[in-house]
Amino acid sequence: MCPDCEDFARTVLLLGQLALYADTTGADLDFVDAVSPSLAASLPEPPTGEES
C-alpha cells in the first residue's frame, strides 16, 4: 500500500465513525463540532491510484 493510502483510509474511517457517533442518542455534539473540522483538515490528498 502506498504511504499516503493508509493515512487517507484511516482518516476517512475516523470521519465516518465520527458521523455515526453524531447520529447516536446522547452524542456529545460539542465534541463532534470541535473534532470534525480538525480531522477533516488533517485529511491527506487522495491517493493517485498508483500501485506500490
Side-chain angles (χ1 to χ4, degrees):
M1 182 177 274
C2 67
D4 292 334
C5 294
E6 187 176 341
D7 288 342
F8 183 81
R10 185 182 311 116
T11 305
V12 168
L13 177 66
L14 288 170
L15 283 167
Q17 289 174 334
L18 186 62
L20 289 173
Y21 170 70
D23 286 338
T24 61
T25 302
D28 183 350
L29 297 181
D30 288 335
F31 171 78
V32 174
D33 289 343
V35 171
S36 56
S38 298
L39 191 55
S42 74
L43 191 63
E45 290 294 319
T48 61
E50 294 178 20
E51 296 290 323
S52 294

